[in-house]
Amino acid sequence: MDAPRRVLIGISGGIAAYKICSVISSLAKAGLAVRVVLTQQGQAFIPPLTVATLARHPAYTDENFWQATQGRPLHIELGEWAELLVIAPLSANTLGKLAHGLADNLLTNTVLASTCPVLLAPAMNTDMWQQQAVQRNWHQLLQDPRYHSIDPGSGVLACDRIGTGRMAEPEDILTHIHSLLHSGGRRDLVGKHLLISTGSTREFLDPVRFIGNPASGKMGMALAQAALHRGATVTLVHGPMEESLKARLGGIQTVSITTAEEMHRAMLTNLPQADWIVMAAAVADVKPATQAATKLAKADLPQSLPLAQVPDIVADLSQKRSPHQRLIGFAAQTGDIIPPALDKLQRKGLDAIVANPIDVAGSGFGGDRNQAVLLTQAGDKLPIPPCTKLEMAHQIWDALLKAGF
């Protein structure tokens, strides 16, 4: 069996430390090897016993600083052991130390003794976060390519201040962790602007009835997140999505639409600045020929429903794109997924297409996992076995980069 991936979590002082407990627990339950280092201030909020229990491994504090492991200092052992280092919450104090290369405790010494990517999730009072010195330290630190960030969010803070300073939510931290474990911290999409569509469209018969499909938008969201974590600028055009999913799109420019015609306009409007265009949305093929302005009574519903065509978004994008732009489609299929995907690849003038089965358990609409086959115009064929949608997104980006897109 493959050795488990190795994540070192650093906890500095802040009430947001409670949020990292669910991250530690989720990683350990998923089979990853997790180690935790607490600063003295971090221990004031979370006891070492708590994180040790969640990580299934003793926690480290400054009391262990000079503890020798097989004759070597602990911070050296931990720094060499980690594949990824996560500091959450990142306090203003620890941020200042990292920005200036200072090391006066176990955590900061371990950072300097490591070479792996470091993910930072700041958390502090709004006025502290907005101080010029703190912002200067933050931007200075992020000039180092080792450091990756999840900016703090806005809301009501524990100090009752309303503003920016909330640590990122555990789900977003976990997503970024898995992205960095896959990419190793590579920013191989820097300089690219990706235009991605996702979710379903709704074509209304009246204000309460519509033709639609079960697409949740999770696959396109995963594509957008994976691209963002690898340095791309991302515009996501999405159909109706759950509010909990929308809340996880920080750092991504979003355009919310409902109908196929609205998606058509949004994709064409944002087309000029895109390098890669990815049509992951499940767009309706037809709509009711007429739409009632008020709810139809049951007795007034038509016995047969006249239908009208909606715009062929992929075909229009293919015709109007510039030579340097790459167009990637999706094909959700039942049965043998390859022939219809190859037909769509050629007929629509795509550069690549991702064919995924929707009649196989654990893949397709609504779930967190998927599987697919990536086909390119050059004849490449990459099977993507069952995995999380985030992992599938990374494999798609890997394959397209390898193919020279």
mmCIF file of all heavy atoms in Angstrom, residues 6-12 17 20-21 23-25 27-28 33-39 42-43 46-62 64 74 78 81-82 84-89 106-107 110:
data_model
loop_
_atom_site.group_PDB
_atom_site.id
_atom_site.type_symbol
_atom_site.label_atom_id
_atom_site.label_comp_id
_atom_site.label_asym_id
_atom_site.label_seq_id
_atom_site.Cartn_x
_atom_site.Cartn_y
_atom_site.Cartn_z
ATOM 1 N N ARG A 6 1.624 13.176 4.313
ATOM 2 C CA ARG A 6 2.077 13.688 5.609
ATOM 3 C C ARG A 6 1.809 15.191 5.709
ATOM 4 O O ARG A 6 2.363 15.981 4.938
ATOM 5 C CB ARG A 6 3.569 13.409 5.791
ATOM 6 C CG ARG A 6 3.917 11.932 5.616
ATOM 7 C CD ARG A 6 5.401 11.667 5.845
ATOM 8 N NE ARG A 6 6.260 12.466 4.989
ATOM 9 C CZ ARG A 6 6.579 12.161 3.729
ATOM 10 N NH1 ARG A 6 6.079 11.067 3.166
ATOM 11 N NH2 ARG A 6 7.369 12.947 3.007
ATOM 12 N N VAL A 7 0.968 15.564 6.667
ATOM 13 C CA VAL A 7 0.585 16.969 6.855
ATOM 14 C C VAL A 7 0.924 17.398 8.271
ATOM 15 O O VAL A 7 0.534 16.744 9.241
ATOM 16 C CB VAL A 7 -0.918 17.180 6.591
ATOM 17 C CG1 VAL A 7 -1.297 18.646 6.795
ATOM 18 C CG2 VAL A 7 -1.289 16.727 5.178
ATOM 19 N N LEU A 8 1.644 18.499 8.377
ATOM 20 C CA LEU A 8 1.989 19.077 9.672
ATOM 21 C C LEU A 8 1.140 20.322 9.876
ATOM 22 O O LEU A 8 1.153 21.235 9.050
ATOM 23 C CB LEU A 8 3.476 19.438 9.710
ATOM 24 C CG LEU A 8 3.998 20.086 10.997
ATOM 25 C CD1 LEU A 8 3.838 19.145 12.174
ATOM 26 C CD2 LEU A 8 5.460 20.489 10.837
ATOM 27 N N ILE A 9 0.391 20.356 10.964
ATOM 28 C CA ILE A 9 -0.484 21.476 11.291
ATOM 29 C C ILE A 9 0.153 22.305 12.391
ATOM 30 O O ILE A 9 0.529 21.779 13.446
ATOM 31 C CB ILE A 9 -1.871 20.991 11.775
ATOM 32 C CG1 ILE A 9 -2.513 20.023 10.778
ATOM 33 C CG2 ILE A 9 -2.778 22.184 12.074
ATOM 34 C CD1 ILE A 9 -3.046 20.651 9.547
ATOM 35 N N GLY A 10 0.285 23.613 12.148
ATOM 36 C CA GLY A 10 0.757 24.542 13.172
ATOM 37 C C GLY A 10 -0.389 25.401 13.659
ATOM 38 O O GLY A 10 -1.136 25.966 12.853
ATOM 39 N N ILE A 11 -0.540 25.506 14.974
ATOM 40 C CA ILE A 11 -1.640 26.271 15.563
ATOM 41 C C ILE A 11 -1.051 27.396 16.397
ATOM 42 O O ILE A 11 -0.379 27.149 17.399
ATOM 43 C CB ILE A 11 -2.534 25.377 16.442
ATOM 44 C CG1 ILE A 11 -3.112 24.212 15.626
ATOM 45 C CG2 ILE A 11 -3.656 26.199 17.074
ATOM 46 C CD1 ILE A 11 -3.918 23.222 16.450
ATOM 47 N N SER A 12 -1.287 28.637 15.980
ATOM 48 C CA SER A 12 -0.859 29.782 16.778
ATOM 49 C C SER A 12 -2.067 30.361 17.505
ATOM 50 O O SER A 12 -3.177 29.843 17.399
ATOM 51 C CB SER A 12 -0.161 30.830 15.907
ATOM 52 O OG SER A 12 -1.014 31.317 14.903
ATOM 53 N N ALA A 17 -8.770 28.842 16.562
ATOM 54 C CA ALA A 17 -8.101 27.543 16.680
ATOM 55 C C ALA A 17 -9.099 26.397 16.781
ATOM 56 O O ALA A 17 -8.802 25.268 16.353
ATOM 57 C CB ALA A 17 -7.168 27.544 17.892
ATOM 58 N N ILE A 20 -9.781 24.435 13.524
ATOM 59 C CA ILE A 20 -8.800 23.522 12.930
ATOM 60 C C ILE A 20 -8.974 22.107 13.440
ATOM 61 O O ILE A 20 -8.474 21.156 12.831
ATOM 62 C CB ILE A 20 -7.365 24.048 13.180
ATOM 63 C CG1 ILE A 20 -6.393 23.486 12.131
ATOM 64 C CG2 ILE A 20 -6.890 23.716 14.574
ATOM 65 C CD1 ILE A 20 -6.676 23.913 10.720
ATOM 66 N N CYS A 21 -9.704 21.949 14.545
ATOM 67 C CA CYS A 21 -9.912 20.599 15.089
ATOM 68 C C CYS A 21 -10.626 19.699 14.083
ATOM 69 O O CYS A 21 -10.276 18.528 13.931
ATOM 70 C CB CYS A 21 -10.700 20.675 16.394
ATOM 71 S SG CYS A 21 -9.763 21.383 17.759
ATOM 72 N N VAL A 23 -10.529 19.975 10.865
ATOM 73 C CA VAL A 23 -9.587 19.700 9.783
ATOM 74 C C VAL A 23 -8.679 18.544 10.165
ATOM 75 O O VAL A 23 -8.472 17.602 9.393
ATOM 76 C CB VAL A 23 -8.754 20.954 9.448
ATOM 77 C CG1 VAL A 23 -7.656 20.628 8.444
ATOM 78 C CG2 VAL A 23 -9.651 22.056 8.914
ATOM 79 N N ILE A 24 -8.124 18.607 11.376
ATOM 80 C CA ILE A 24 -7.241 17.541 11.851
ATOM 81 C C ILE A 24 -7.985 16.216 11.872
ATOM 82 O O ILE A 24 -7.482 15.183 11.402
ATOM 83 C CB ILE A 24 -6.707 17.884 13.253
ATOM 84 C CG1 ILE A 24 -5.828 19.129 13.193
ATOM 85 C CG2 ILE A 24 -5.939 16.713 13.853
ATOM 86 C CD1 ILE A 24 -5.489 19.712 14.559
ATOM 87 N N SER A 25 -9.195 16.225 12.396
ATOM 88 C CA SER A 25 -9.991 14.996 12.477
ATOM 89 C C SER A 25 -10.286 14.425 11.094
ATOM 90 O O SER A 25 -10.152 13.222 10.861
ATOM 91 C CB SER A 25 -11.295 15.276 13.219
ATOM 92 O OG SER A 25 -12.104 14.122 13.290
ATOM 93 N N LEU A 27 -8.646 14.850 8.247
ATOM 94 C CA LEU A 27 -7.434 14.322 7.615
ATOM 95 C C LEU A 27 -7.068 12.967 8.186
ATOM 96 O O LEU A 27 -6.725 12.031 7.451
ATOM 97 C CB LEU A 27 -6.279 15.305 7.800
ATOM 98 C CG LEU A 27 -6.388 16.646 7.075
ATOM 99 C CD1 LEU A 27 -5.262 17.573 7.491
ATOM 100 C CD2 LEU A 27 -6.383 16.445 5.562
ATOM 101 N N ALA A 28 -7.131 12.837 9.517
ATOM 102 C CA ALA A 28 -6.778 11.567 10.148
ATOM 103 C C ALA A 28 -7.752 10.464 9.760
ATOM 104 O O ALA A 28 -7.347 9.333 9.466
ATOM 105 C CB ALA A 28 -6.732 11.741 11.665
ATOM 106 N N ALA A 33 -1.338 10.948 7.502
ATOM 107 C CA ALA A 33 -0.526 11.067 8.709
ATOM 108 C C ALA A 33 -0.500 12.538 9.108
ATOM 109 O O ALA A 33 -0.089 13.393 8.325
ATOM 110 C CB ALA A 33 0.886 10.550 8.454
ATOM 111 N N VAL A 34 -0.942 12.842 10.322
ATOM 112 C CA VAL A 34 -1.076 14.219 10.779
ATOM 113 C C VAL A 34 -0.243 14.417 12.042
ATOM 114 O O VAL A 34 -0.320 13.618 12.980
ATOM 115 C CB VAL A 34 -2.544 14.580 11.075
ATOM 116 C CG1 VAL A 34 -2.673 16.055 11.433
ATOM 117 C CG2 VAL A 34 -3.434 14.241 9.886
ATOM 118 N N ARG A 35 0.550 15.478 12.052
ATOM 119 C CA ARG A 35 1.287 15.892 13.234
ATOM 120 C C ARG A 35 0.894 17.329 13.534
ATOM 121 O O ARG A 35 0.630 18.119 12.619
ATOM 122 C CB ARG A 35 2.803 15.809 13.024
ATOM 123 C CG ARG A 35 3.290 14.426 12.609
ATOM 124 C CD ARG A 35 3.216 13.423 13.735
ATOM 125 N NE ARG A 35 3.757 12.124 13.329
ATOM 126 C CZ ARG A 35 3.023 11.126 12.831
ATOM 127 N NH1 ARG A 35 1.718 11.304 12.645
ATOM 128 N NH2 ARG A 35 3.578 9.978 12.508
ATOM 129 N N VAL A 36 0.873 17.700 14.817
ATOM 130 C CA VAL A 36 0.421 19.032 15.215
ATOM 131 C C VAL A 36 1.446 19.680 16.134
ATOM 132 O O VAL A 36 1.947 19.046 17.065
ATOM 133 C CB VAL A 36 -0.944 18.967 15.931
ATOM 134 C CG1 VAL A 36 -1.417 20.379 16.281
ATOM 135 C CG2 VAL A 36 -1.983 18.269 15.068
ATOM 136 N N VAL A 37 1.759 20.942 15.837
ATOM 137 C CA VAL A 37 2.625 21.761 16.685
ATOM 138 C C VAL A 37 1.807 22.950 17.172
ATOM 139 O O VAL A 37 1.197 23.662 16.364
ATOM 140 C CB VAL A 37 3.861 22.269 15.908
ATOM 141 C CG1 VAL A 37 4.670 23.230 16.782
ATOM 142 C CG2 VAL A 37 4.728 21.102 15.452
ATOM 143 N N LEU A 38 1.791 23.167 18.481
ATOM 144 C CA LEU A 38 1.082 24.305 19.061
ATOM 145 C C LEU A 38 2.088 25.299 19.621
ATOM 146 O O LEU A 38 3.046 24.915 20.297
ATOM 147 C CB LEU A 38 0.155 23.870 20.191
ATOM 148 C CG LEU A 38 -1.007 22.954 19.833
ATOM 149 C CD1 LEU A 38 -0.777 21.570 20.405
ATOM 150 C CD2 LEU A 38 -2.322 23.507 20.363
ATOM 151 N N THR A 39 1.861 26.585 19.348
ATOM 152 C CA THR A 39 2.644 27.606 20.024
ATOM 153 C C THR A 39 2.126 27.746 21.453
ATOM 154 O O THR A 39 1.065 27.216 21.808
ATOM 155 C CB THR A 39 2.534 28.960 19.314
ATOM 156 O OG1 THR A 39 1.180 29.441 19.437
ATOM 157 C CG2 THR A 39 2.915 28.838 17.839
ATOM 158 N N GLY A 42 -1.169 29.256 21.215
ATOM 159 C CA GLY A 42 -2.143 28.309 20.695
ATOM 160 C C GLY A 42 -2.693 27.397 21.774
ATOM 161 O O GLY A 42 -3.883 27.050 21.780
ATOM 162 N N GLN A 43 -1.817 27.009 22.736
ATOM 163 C CA GLN A 43 -2.252 26.134 23.825
ATOM 164 C C GLN A 43 -3.267 26.813 24.728
ATOM 165 O O GLN A 43 -4.023 26.117 25.437
ATOM 166 C CB GLN A 43 -1.053 25.716 24.669
ATOM 167 C CG GLN A 43 -0.077 24.800 23.962
ATOM 168 C CD GLN A 43 1.094 24.483 24.862
ATOM 169 O OE1 GLN A 43 0.967 23.720 25.819
ATOM 170 N NE2 GLN A 43 2.245 25.085 24.565
ATOM 171 N N ILE A 46 -6.471 25.751 22.617
ATOM 172 C CA ILE A 46 -6.706 24.336 22.351
ATOM 173 C C ILE A 46 -5.685 23.515 23.141
ATOM 174 O O ILE A 46 -4.472 23.658 22.916
ATOM 175 C CB ILE A 46 -6.562 24.010 20.841
ATOM 176 C CG1 ILE A 46 -7.584 24.782 20.018
ATOM 177 C CG2 ILE A 46 -6.710 22.503 20.598
ATOM 178 C CD1 ILE A 46 -9.024 24.357 20.246
ATOM 179 N N PRO A 47 -6.112 22.644 24.036
ATOM 180 C CA PRO A 47 -5.164 21.818 24.782
ATOM 181 C C PRO A 47 -4.470 20.806 23.864
ATOM 182 O O PRO A 47 -5.092 20.278 22.934
ATOM 183 C CB PRO A 47 -6.038 21.098 25.809
ATOM 184 C CG PRO A 47 -7.329 21.837 25.828
ATOM 185 C CD PRO A 47 -7.495 22.439 24.474
ATOM 186 N N PRO A 48 -3.203 20.506 24.103
ATOM 187 C CA PRO A 48 -2.508 19.503 23.295
ATOM 188 C C PRO A 48 -3.224 18.159 23.269
ATOM 189 O O PRO A 48 -3.213 17.469 22.248
ATOM 190 C CB PRO A 48 -1.136 19.396 23.976
ATOM 191 C CG PRO A 48 -0.938 20.736 24.615
ATOM 192 C CD PRO A 48 -2.289 21.162 25.062
ATOM 193 N N LEU A 49 -3.853 17.777 24.375
ATOM 194 C CA LEU A 49 -4.540 16.481 24.416
ATOM 195 C C LEU A 49 -5.660 16.406 23.387
ATOM 196 O O LEU A 49 -5.899 15.357 22.778
ATOM 197 C CB LEU A 49 -5.111 16.240 25.821
ATOM 198 C CG LEU A 49 -5.904 14.936 26.002
ATOM 199 C CD1 LEU A 49 -5.028 13.728 25.693
ATOM 200 C CD2 LEU A 49 -6.468 14.853 27.419
ATOM 201 N N THR A 50 -6.340 17.518 23.155
ATOM 202 C CA THR A 50 -7.444 17.532 22.188
ATOM 203 C C THR A 50 -6.942 17.210 20.782
ATOM 204 O O THR A 50 -7.470 16.313 20.111
ATOM 205 C CB THR A 50 -8.137 18.905 22.189
ATOM 206 O OG1 THR A 50 -8.707 19.148 23.472
ATOM 207 C CG2 THR A 50 -9.237 18.954 21.141
ATOM 208 N N VAL A 51 -5.917 17.947 20.321
ATOM 209 C CA VAL A 51 -5.438 17.725 18.953
ATOM 210 C C VAL A 51 -4.691 16.404 18.839
ATOM 211 O O VAL A 51 -4.695 15.771 17.789
ATOM 212 C CB VAL A 51 -4.570 18.904 18.467
ATOM 213 C CG1 VAL A 51 -5.418 20.152 18.331
ATOM 214 C CG2 VAL A 51 -3.389 19.153 19.388
ATOM 215 N N ALA A 52 -4.056 15.951 19.931
ATOM 216 C CA ALA A 52 -3.384 14.647 19.909
ATOM 217 C C ALA A 52 -4.400 13.533 19.705
ATOM 218 O O ALA A 52 -4.164 12.586 18.941
ATOM 219 C CB ALA A 52 -2.611 14.432 21.205
ATOM 220 N N THR A 53 -5.538 13.654 20.358
ATOM 221 C CA THR A 53 -6.592 12.643 20.202
ATOM 222 C C THR A 53 -7.141 12.639 18.783
ATOM 223 O O THR A 53 -7.341 11.580 18.183
ATOM 224 C CB THR A 53 -7.724 12.914 21.200
ATOM 225 O OG1 THR A 53 -7.193 12.932 22.529
ATOM 226 C CG2 THR A 53 -8.802 11.836 21.101
ATOM 227 N N LEU A 54 -7.365 13.828 18.235
ATOM 228 C CA LEU A 54 -7.905 13.919 16.880
ATOM 229 C C LEU A 54 -6.897 13.453 15.834
ATOM 230 O O LEU A 54 -7.268 12.847 14.821
ATOM 231 C CB LEU A 54 -8.325 15.361 16.583
ATOM 232 C CG LEU A 54 -9.463 15.923 17.449
ATOM 233 C CD1 LEU A 54 -9.655 17.401 17.167
ATOM 234 C CD2 LEU A 54 -10.755 15.151 17.202
ATOM 235 N N ALA A 55 -5.605 13.732 16.051
ATOM 236 C CA ALA A 55 -4.569 13.378 15.079
ATOM 237 C C ALA A 55 -4.085 11.942 15.220
ATOM 238 O O ALA A 55 -3.349 11.448 14.365
ATOM 239 C CB ALA A 55 -3.387 14.331 15.221
ATOM 240 N N ARG A 56 -4.485 11.299 16.319
ATOM 241 C CA ARG A 56 -4.006 9.928 16.602
ATOM 242 C C ARG A 56 -2.481 9.907 16.774
ATOM 243 O O ARG A 56 -1.799 8.945 16.441
ATOM 244 C CB ARG A 56 -4.379 8.939 15.498
ATOM 245 C CG ARG A 56 -5.827 8.464 15.469
ATOM 246 C CD ARG A 56 -6.780 9.528 15.038
ATOM 247 N NE ARG A 56 -8.070 8.930 14.633
ATOM 248 C CZ ARG A 56 -9.151 9.653 14.404
ATOM 249 N NH1 ARG A 56 -9.112 10.967 14.528
ATOM 250 N NH2 ARG A 56 -10.277 9.056 14.039
ATOM 251 N N HIS A 57 -1.944 11.019 17.301
ATOM 252 C CA HIS A 57 -0.496 11.125 17.506
ATOM 253 C C HIS A 57 -0.245 12.220 18.527
ATOM 254 O O HIS A 57 -0.932 13.247 18.507
ATOM 255 C CB HIS A 57 0.216 11.459 16.194
ATOM 256 C CG HIS A 57 1.705 11.343 16.268
ATOM 257 N ND1 HIS A 57 2.504 12.354 16.771
ATOM 258 C CD2 HIS A 57 2.545 10.337 15.919
ATOM 259 C CE1 HIS A 57 3.759 11.971 16.720
ATOM 260 N NE2 HIS A 57 3.819 10.758 16.210
ATOM 261 N N PRO A 58 0.739 12.052 19.411
ATOM 262 C CA PRO A 58 1.010 13.098 20.391
ATOM 263 C C PRO A 58 1.272 14.452 19.731
ATOM 264 O O PRO A 58 1.920 14.533 18.678
ATOM 265 C CB PRO A 58 2.270 12.588 21.114
ATOM 266 C CG PRO A 58 2.229 11.105 20.941
ATOM 267 C CD PRO A 58 1.619 10.879 19.592
ATOM 268 N N ALA A 59 0.777 15.516 20.355
ATOM 269 C CA ALA A 59 1.014 16.866 19.856
ATOM 270 C C ALA A 59 2.351 17.376 20.381
ATOM 271 O O ALA A 59 2.864 16.918 21.404
ATOM 272 C CB ALA A 59 -0.114 17.786 20.306
ATOM 273 N N TYR A 60 2.917 18.348 19.667
ATOM 274 C CA TYR A 60 4.206 18.921 20.048
ATOM 275 C C TYR A 60 4.007 20.366 20.498
ATOM 276 O O TYR A 60 3.248 21.130 19.902
ATOM 277 C CB TYR A 60 5.177 18.890 18.869
ATOM 278 C CG TYR A 60 5.474 17.498 18.360
ATOM 279 C CD1 TYR A 60 4.941 17.052 17.148
ATOM 280 C CD2 TYR A 60 6.287 16.635 19.083
ATOM 281 C CE1 TYR A 60 5.211 15.775 16.669
ATOM 282 C CE2 TYR A 60 6.576 15.348 18.608
ATOM 283 C CZ TYR A 60 6.021 14.933 17.408
ATOM 284 O OH TYR A 60 6.301 13.675 16.940
ATOM 285 N N THR A 61 4.743 20.732 21.557
ATOM 286 C CA THR A 61 4.739 22.105 22.056
ATOM 287 C C THR A 61 6.186 22.550 22.252
ATOM 288 O O THR A 61 7.129 21.783 22.025
ATOM 289 C CB THR A 61 3.982 22.199 23.394
ATOM 290 O OG1 THR A 61 4.737 21.512 24.412
ATOM 291 C CG2 THR A 61 2.587 21.579 23.288
ATOM 292 N N ASP A 62 6.354 23.790 22.714
ATOM 293 C CA ASP A 62 7.709 24.296 22.943
ATOM 294 C C ASP A 62 8.443 23.511 24.027
ATOM 295 O O ASP A 62 9.675 23.524 24.080
ATOM 296 C CB ASP A 62 7.662 25.774 23.320
ATOM 297 C CG ASP A 62 7.338 26.661 22.127
ATOM 298 O OD1 ASP A 62 7.415 26.167 20.984
ATOM 299 O OD2 ASP A 62 6.992 27.835 22.333
ATOM 300 N N ASN A 64 8.746 20.467 23.980
ATOM 301 C CA ASN A 64 9.427 19.390 23.260
ATOM 302 C C ASN A 64 10.544 19.913 22.355
ATOM 303 O O ASN A 64 11.154 19.128 21.624
ATOM 304 C CB ASN A 64 8.426 18.629 22.383
ATOM 305 C CG ASN A 64 7.196 18.185 23.125
ATOM 306 O OD1 ASN A 64 6.092 18.618 22.824
ATOM 307 N ND2 ASN A 64 7.366 17.318 24.116
ATOM 308 N N LEU A 74 14.145 17.941 17.089
ATOM 309 C CA LEU A 74 12.765 17.688 16.675
ATOM 310 C C LEU A 74 12.355 18.553 15.501
ATOM 311 O O LEU A 74 11.675 18.077 14.572
ATOM 312 C CB LEU A 74 11.819 17.916 17.861
ATOM 313 C CG LEU A 74 10.329 17.731 17.594
ATOM 314 C CD1 LEU A 74 10.035 16.310 17.124
ATOM 315 C CD2 LEU A 74 9.510 18.067 18.842
ATOM 316 N N LEU A 78 10.750 17.107 12.067
ATOM 317 C CA LEU A 78 9.414 17.483 11.606
ATOM 318 C C LEU A 78 9.472 18.213 10.265
ATOM 319 O O LEU A 78 8.637 17.975 9.377
ATOM 320 C CB LEU A 78 8.728 18.369 12.649
ATOM 321 C CG LEU A 78 8.286 17.692 13.943
ATOM 322 C CD1 LEU A 78 7.767 18.722 14.942
ATOM 323 C CD2 LEU A 78 7.219 16.640 13.672
ATOM 324 N N TRP A 81 10.027 15.711 7.614
ATOM 325 C CA TRP A 81 8.925 14.745 7.520
ATOM 326 C C TRP A 81 7.746 15.292 6.712
ATOM 327 O O TRP A 81 7.114 14.574 5.945
ATOM 328 C CB TRP A 81 8.457 14.390 8.937
ATOM 329 C CG TRP A 81 7.248 13.501 9.006
ATOM 330 C CD1 TRP A 81 7.225 12.139 8.971
ATOM 331 C CD2 TRP A 81 5.875 13.925 9.140
ATOM 332 N NE1 TRP A 81 5.925 11.684 9.069
ATOM 333 C CE2 TRP A 81 5.085 12.754 9.165
ATOM 334 C CE3 TRP A 81 5.264 15.172 9.230
ATOM 335 C CZ2 TRP A 81 3.698 12.811 9.284
ATOM 336 C CZ3 TRP A 81 3.884 15.225 9.346
ATOM 337 C CH2 TRP A 81 3.111 14.049 9.379
ATOM 338 N N ALA A 82 7.463 16.573 6.855
ATOM 339 C CA ALA A 82 6.227 17.150 6.310
ATOM 340 C C ALA A 82 6.259 17.247 4.791
ATOM 341 O O ALA A 82 7.224 17.716 4.205
ATOM 342 C CB ALA A 82 5.987 18.525 6.914
ATOM 343 N N LEU A 84 3.489 18.836 3.586
ATOM 344 C CA LEU A 84 2.746 20.101 3.568
ATOM 345 C C LEU A 84 2.656 20.605 4.992
ATOM 346 O O LEU A 84 2.395 19.830 5.913
ATOM 347 C CB LEU A 84 1.342 19.894 2.990
ATOM 348 C CG LEU A 84 0.407 21.104 3.034
ATOM 349 C CD1 LEU A 84 0.925 22.227 2.149
ATOM 350 C CD2 LEU A 84 -1.010 20.719 2.612
ATOM 351 N N LEU A 85 2.864 21.897 5.146
ATOM 352 C CA LEU A 85 2.746 22.528 6.452
ATOM 353 C C LEU A 85 1.590 23.517 6.392
ATOM 354 O O LEU A 85 1.521 24.348 5.481
ATOM 355 C CB LEU A 85 4.049 23.237 6.797
ATOM 356 C CG LEU A 85 4.428 23.386 8.276
ATOM 357 C CD1 LEU A 85 5.918 23.671 8.405
ATOM 358 C CD2 LEU A 85 3.620 24.485 8.951
ATOM 359 N N VAL A 86 0.679 23.417 7.341
ATOM 360 C CA VAL A 86 -0.496 24.295 7.395
ATOM 361 C C VAL A 86 -0.448 25.065 8.708
ATOM 362 O O VAL A 86 -0.323 24.454 9.771
ATOM 363 C CB VAL A 86 -1.805 23.483 7.309
ATOM 364 C CG1 VAL A 86 -3.018 24.415 7.349
ATOM 365 C CG2 VAL A 86 -1.830 22.607 6.068
ATOM 366 N N ILE A 87 -0.530 26.380 8.646
ATOM 367 C CA ILE A 87 -0.592 27.186 9.866
ATOM 368 C C ILE A 87 -1.959 27.841 9.920
ATOM 369 O O ILE A 87 -2.281 28.719 9.122
ATOM 370 C CB ILE A 87 0.524 28.236 9.917
ATOM 371 C CG1 ILE A 87 1.894 27.557 9.785
ATOM 372 C CG2 ILE A 87 0.451 29.013 11.235
ATOM 373 C CD1 ILE A 87 3.064 28.515 9.824
ATOM 374 N N ALA A 88 -2.774 27.370 10.870
ATOM 375 C CA ALA A 88 -4.149 27.847 10.983
ATOM 376 C C ALA A 88 -4.600 27.685 12.440
ATOM 377 O O ALA A 88 -4.592 26.557 12.940
ATOM 378 C CB ALA A 88 -5.062 27.052 10.044
ATOM 379 N N PRO A 89 -4.967 28.741 13.117
ATOM 380 C CA PRO A 89 -4.925 30.116 12.625
ATOM 381 C C PRO A 89 -3.502 30.664 12.605
ATOM 382 O O PRO A 89 -2.669 30.292 13.410
ATOM 383 C CB PRO A 89 -5.781 30.872 13.642
ATOM 384 C CG PRO A 89 -5.627 30.089 14.910
ATOM 385 C CD PRO A 89 -5.528 28.658 14.482
ATOM 386 N N LEU A 106 9.146 26.298 18.536
ATOM 387 C CA LEU A 106 9.211 25.072 17.759
ATOM 388 C C LEU A 106 8.581 25.242 16.380
ATOM 389 O O LEU A 106 9.124 24.778 15.369
ATOM 390 C CB LEU A 106 8.515 23.933 18.522
ATOM 391 C CG LEU A 106 8.463 22.568 17.800
ATOM 392 C CD1 LEU A 106 9.855 22.075 17.448
ATOM 393 C CD2 LEU A 106 7.713 21.543 18.655
ATOM 394 N N LEU A 107 7.434 25.935 16.314
ATOM 395 C CA LEU A 107 6.743 26.075 15.030
ATOM 396 C C LEU A 107 7.576 26.864 14.034
ATOM 397 O O LEU A 107 7.780 26.425 12.892
ATOM 398 C CB LEU A 107 5.380 26.744 15.233
ATOM 399 C CG LEU A 107 4.593 27.045 13.952
ATOM 400 C CD1 LEU A 107 4.340 25.769 13.158
ATOM 401 C CD2 LEU A 107 3.270 27.732 14.290
ATOM 402 N N THR A 110 10.562 24.990 12.864
ATOM 403 C CA THR A 110 10.196 23.901 11.954
ATOM 404 C C THR A 110 9.940 24.440 10.556
ATOM 405 O O THR A 110 10.320 23.815 9.552
ATOM 406 C CB THR A 110 8.950 23.153 12.482
ATOM 407 O OG1 THR A 110 9.243 22.621 13.775
ATOM 408 C CG2 THR A 110 8.555 22.024 11.548
#
